[in-house]
Amino acid sequence: MNAFPLKVGGNIELYRFREAFDRLMNLARLGNKYLTDNEPPECSKPIPKGENHLAVSLQIVAMALL
């Protein structure tokens, strides 16, 4: 996953904006699918210990921003 920012940055440096955009959109789709598949319980129920949906989601976003 550490190579992701380098690949996007490399695409931008080579003026391959469409490829960079496609990579970022694929990351966004991956994050969206993860959140959809691991939808947290309803707000009225306590979140079980060990649930890390938010942490994983934030890591996905961080990968795009590095």
Side-chain angles (χ1 to χ4, degrees):
M1 288 289 260
N2 291 337
F4 180 81
L6 295 174
K7 289 180 181 180
V8 172
N11 288 143
I12 291 172
E13 288 175 4
L14 296 172
Y15 301 100
R16 295 180 179 164
F17 301 117
R18 183 178 301 271
E19 289 177 36
F21 178 76
D22 287 344
R23 286 183 186 274
L24 290 170
M25 286 305 298
N26 287 336
L27 180 66
R29 286 184 193 100
L30 176 68
N32 189 43
K33 181 173 177 5
Y34 177 83
L35 284 175
T36 301
D37 291 347
N38 297 289
E39 196 170 335
E42 293 183 27
C43 294
S44 61
K45 298 178 184 177
I47 297 174
K49 288 186 179 182
E51 295 289 336
N52 63 352
H53 305 312
L54 185 57
V56 171
S57 302
L58 290 174
Q59 288 174 350
I60 292 169
V61 172
M63 291 303 300
L65 299 177
L66 290 178

